[in-house]
Amino acid sequence: MTQHRITDDLDAMLDVLPTNIRHAVEKANNSENLLEIVIDLGRLPTARFVEGEIILAEKEITHADIDHITERIGTFDADNRAGMERTLHRISAIRNRLGAIVGLTCRVGRAVYGTVDIIQDIIESGKSVLILGRPGVGKTTLLREAARILAENKRVVIVDTSNEIGGDGDVPHPAVGKARRMQVREPMLQHEVMIEAVENHNPEVIVIDEIGRELETLAARTIAERGVQLIGTAHGQTLENLLLNPTLSDLVGGIEAVTLSDEEARRRGTQKTVLERRAPPTFDVLIEIQHRERFAVHLDIMSAVDSLLRDVPTPSEIRTRDEAGQIQIEKAAPIKSRRPERIGEAKPETTKTPRRTRTPAPDIQEQTPRSDSINPPVIVTPNIGAKLQTVRVFAYGVARNRLMQAAKRLGVPAVVVTDVNEANVLVTLRTYYRNREQTVIEAEQRGMPIYVLRANTVTQVEQFLGDLYNLSEQQHPRDSLDDVRDQTRQAIAAVLNGERWVDLPPGSSLVRRFQHEMARNAELVSHSYGKEPRRHVRIFRE
């Protein structure tokens, strides 16, 4: 699709400028590539284009020039931004210590139809998408077009902090189509408006520009857990930059330091302290805007983060648009692991196993666990035959009754033993593993496989057994769904019968999303509290 550029009434922007500056912009005759006009007290005015910038006048800017502009535009908000009604232009102010304006950045706002076609299949897939890019690269333009496309078939709400997506004034700009727009009174309240949008207006999609504060990242996680698709942007250039940003890293799961055992560190060929993903990511897909016609796409953020932390980065999908408007998609070849192969190390077999077939865990050297159930390090069990065989499990700090009940529900022949010497596998909690308990150390010395759980919950116990027997990912969550449903129904009934609120047990993001959905169907309010792995849902009345 060839792009069709619409400049949002550039004359409206030029009308507020001093006459000499306006004439200089018109003389440059490059309005299609004009990004912004910079006005600073005591300096020469400049115009910035997609490539390069020019000086607009040889006369320095005075207070009168700045007043000439500010008198003709809207009021500046708490974030020092003002707009022009029914346009997408934005004027940002620089103030001195006394609050007087001494500089202006006049950003030209454009609605560009057709710009989203390069990622339209991802946007319409229903997955939550995070768009990264440096300032001025076109993130907001892409976001605006995505909102318009999605609003044709879904309920879309835009949380417009600086009126940059929908334009200034109470009536949104036509470029957002049927999408509804919620304005934010103060930038610090953006997270509250995000939650309000979900609770009051029943959206299927929420569009957010410039997620930049911790409260906003937490609000985004809560929204995602309720089954609402998120389309958002953040400042940054690559996934690695985002992981190193302490405020925004939670959007992709966050990172934490984990201490490995000596054996596990040797097996991985790493130091004892490594970085691991802390929680499931808020977004499903990450798009890096390298420039306006070239995008790097990570279709699975969870896998991309895990591989990056293991120093074996997954190559991104590169999408480009040529001069003819044709979209090219390049899938890079997988990058080989830089972990040195040990002498005599057995290589995994290449035989493929059908996804829905229950088979024992293959005798491989390394396995990446799911973040909600098992916290690395994880040592997989040896191959125990061509069909499911009995595995004797010693639970150290993990509730034995939950293990036995989970084994019964999943239909796996796991036997919980009371003597560690009789066990084939040891399962414990992260706290005991980090404290280097004697029982755990002795099991390591004997070469016994050890599984480390984040918390003593039903969900994580069942996921441990699923990994132990290599069950398909769709089997054990389905088996435990009845318990989650019963617990949630009991909580809803208690609230309807007069309880102020009820806290549900901690669970994975999928479990919490299911709980939020049940609460919403019962016309009750629910929020997620705490941090992984103790994050849980609270149900209460409004």
Side-chain angles (χ1 to χ4, degrees):
M1 180 188 295
T2 303
Q3 291 191 50
H4 179 52
R5 292 180 177 270
I6 303 294
T7 301
D8 272 304
D9 194 5
L10 184 58
D11 288 337
M13 169 74 81
L14 299 180
D15 283 343
V16 306
L17 300 176
T19 305
N20 63 324
I21 297 178
R22 171 173 182 160
H23 289 164
V25 174
E26 293 172 340
K27 185 178 179 180
N29 194 27
N30 194 16
S31 59
E32 283 291 316
N33 295 312
L34 179 62
L35 294 179
E36 56 193 16
I37 299 168
V38 178
I39 308 290
D40 284 332
L41 183 65
R43 294 186 175 182
L44 302 180
T46 59
R48 293 174 179 168
F49 298 91
V50 175
E51 295 182 1
E53 60 181 52
I54 63 172
I55 296 176
L56 297 175
E58 296 300 328
K59 180 184 176 182
E60 294 180 350
I61 296 296
T62 64
H63 282 292
D65 295 325
I66 293 177
D67 293 341
H68 179 93
I69 298 174
T70 56
E71 290 170 358
R72 290 166 171 76
I73 60 177
T75 305
F76 285 94
D77 298 331
D79 58 353
N80 282 315
R81 292 180 178 180
M84 306 172 67
E85 192 163 351
R86 303 302 296 272
T87 76
L88 300 174
H89 305 314
R90 186 188 78 191
I91 293 91
S92 303
I94 298 175
R95 299 179 184 270
N96 63 15
R97 294 171 62 186
L98 301 178
I101 297 176
V102 295
L104 295 170
T105 302
C106 306
R107 174 75 66 85
V108 178
R110 293 186 175 90
V112 185
Y113 297 90
T115 186
V116 80
D117 59 347
I118 195 169
I119 56 168
Q120 186 167 345
D121 57 323
I122 300 174
I123 296 294
E124 293 180 339
S125 68
K127 296 181 178 180
S128 293
V129 180
L130 179 64
I131 302 171
L132 280 186
R134 64 183 185 277
V137 78
K139 298 189 300 296
T140 305
T141 302
L142 194 68
L143 207 62
R144 187 184 301 117
E145 176 74 351
R148 183 184 68 82
I149 294 293
L150 289 174
E152 295 176 359
N153 300 303
K154 294 184 177 182
R155 300 185 300 273
V156 179
V157 173
I158 299 171
V159 178
D160 207 355
T161 304
S162 300
N163 286 354
E164 196 172 355
I165 302 177
D168 206 40
D170 294 334
V171 180
H173 192 275
V176 301
K178 297 179 182 179
R180 304 180 72 188
R181 192 261 297 269
M182 294 183 66
Q183 300 185 53
V184 181
R185 181 163 51 87
E186 296 180 13
M188 299 298 293
L189 301 178
Q190 175 171 300
H191 65 284
E192 295 185 1
V193 179
M194 291 165 63
I195 298 298
E196 179 185 342
V198 178
E199 294 181 346
N200 292 352
H201 303 292
N202 194 28
E204 294 176 290
V205 183
I206 285 187
V207 176
I208 317 161
D209 196 13
E210 295 187 17
I211 300 174
R213 299 180 178 87
E214 185 176 3
L215 290 175
E216 293 162 12
T217 63
L218 293 176
R221 178 173 289 278
T222 297
I223 291 171
E225 288 173 359
R226 299 186 186 194
V228 179
Q229 181 184 0
L230 282 172
I231 309 292
T233 67
H235 285 303
Q237 289 185 283
T238 64
L239 174 59
E240 190 170 3
N241 296 150
L242 196 63
L243 277 174
L244 296 176
N245 186 326
T247 303
L248 300 180
S249 64
D250 188 60
L251 295 175
V252 291
I255 55 178
E256 64 180 355
V258 176
T259 302
L260 305 178
S261 67
D262 292 336
E263 181 180 350
E264 178 69 9
R266 285 194 300 270
R267 187 173 63 82
R268 293 192 181 191
T270 64
Q271 298 178 345
K272 290 193 63 175
T273 300
V274 297
L275 295 177
E276 296 284 354
R277 178 169 46 81
R278 183 176 61 246
T282 301
F283 291 86
D284 303 309
V285 179
L286 178 73
I287 298 175
E288 303 168 1
I289 305 180
Q290 298 179 348
H291 59 72
R292 293 177 183 271
E293 309 297 342
R294 180 182 173 89
F295 293 43
V297 180
H298 298 277
L299 294 173
D300 185 349
I301 290 184
M302 185 180 296
S303 298
V305 172
D306 290 343
S307 60
L308 184 61
L309 293 176
R310 283 173 170 77
D311 201 26
V312 192
T314 303
S316 58
E317 181 179 281
I318 304 299
R319 300 190 176 195
T320 57
R321 184 190 290 109
D322 58 25
E323 295 180 356
Q326 298 298 317
I327 298 171
Q328 307 293 333
I329 300 178
E330 303 174 11
K331 295 185 179 180
I335 300 176
K336 294 183 178 180
S337 171
R338 291 192 286 269
R339 182 174 66 90
E341 184 175 298
R342 297 180 300 176
I343 298 175
E345 183 178 34
K347 297 182 179 180
E349 297 180 1
T350 58
T351 304
K352 294 183 178 180
T353 303
R355 186 173 181 80
R356 295 182 180 274
T357 303
R358 288 189 176 187
T359 59
D363 188 12
I364 60 176
Q365 296 299 318
E366 186 167 354
Q367 174 172 311
T368 304
R370 288 187 296 277
S371 61
D372 264 340
S373 61
I374 301 176
N375 185 58
V378 175
I379 305 174
V380 297
T381 58
N383 195 332
I384 53 177
K387 61 180 181 179
L388 292 181
Q389 295 185 6
T390 300
V391 177
R392 294 185 295 276
V393 181
F394 180 79
Y396 190 75
V398 178
R400 294 175 181 173
N401 60 332
R402 290 181 180 174
L403 266 174
M404 292 185 288
Q405 292 170 3
K408 183 178 180 180
R409 277 193 297 270
L410 295 178
V412 295
V415 177
V416 181
V417 298
T418 57
D419 187 351
V420 67
N421 295 318
E422 299 175 358
N424 305 119
V425 172
L426 184 145
V427 60
T428 186
L429 300 178
R430 180 169 59 181
T431 302
Y432 296 104
Y433 189 90
R434 286 182 172 176
N435 290 341
R436 310 300 296 150
E437 299 285 345
Q438 186 62 33
T439 301
V440 177
I441 294 175
E442 292 176 355
E444 281 185 344
Q445 292 173 347
R446 292 200 301 269
M448 181 181 297
I450 297 174
Y451 281 74
V452 184
L453 307 189
R454 289 182 180 272
N456 198 1
T457 64
V458 173
T459 301
Q460 294 191 12
V461 167
E462 290 187 350
Q463 290 183 356
F464 149 65
L465 290 174
D467 286 343
L468 180 66
Y469 284 95
N470 196 25
L471 304 181
S472 72
E473 294 180 0
Q474 300 180 2
Q475 283 176 326
H476 53 273
R478 183 189 307 152
D479 292 335
S480 63
L481 192 61
D482 291 339
D483 288 343
V484 174
R485 184 184 290 107
D486 291 342
Q487 291 173 346
T488 310
R489 282 176 177 169
Q490 293 173 10
I492 291 172
V495 173
L496 293 176
N497 289 331
E499 289 287 340
R500 291 181 58 189
W501 47 264
V502 175
D503 283 336
L504 293 167
S508 67
S509 60
L510 294 177
V511 169
R512 296 194 298 269
R513 184 176 300 177
F514 180 72
Q515 293 165 339
H516 285 304
E517 182 71 24
M518 289 187 64
R520 185 164 62 246
N521 291 339
E523 299 183 352
L524 296 176
V525 179
S526 61
H527 290 297
S528 294
Y529 294 94
K531 294 186 176 182
E532 301 288 351
R534 303 299 300 169
R535 192 163 174 81
H536 66 280
V537 171
R538 175 177 294 177
I539 298 177
F540 50 92
R541 291 180 179 273
E542 293 187 17

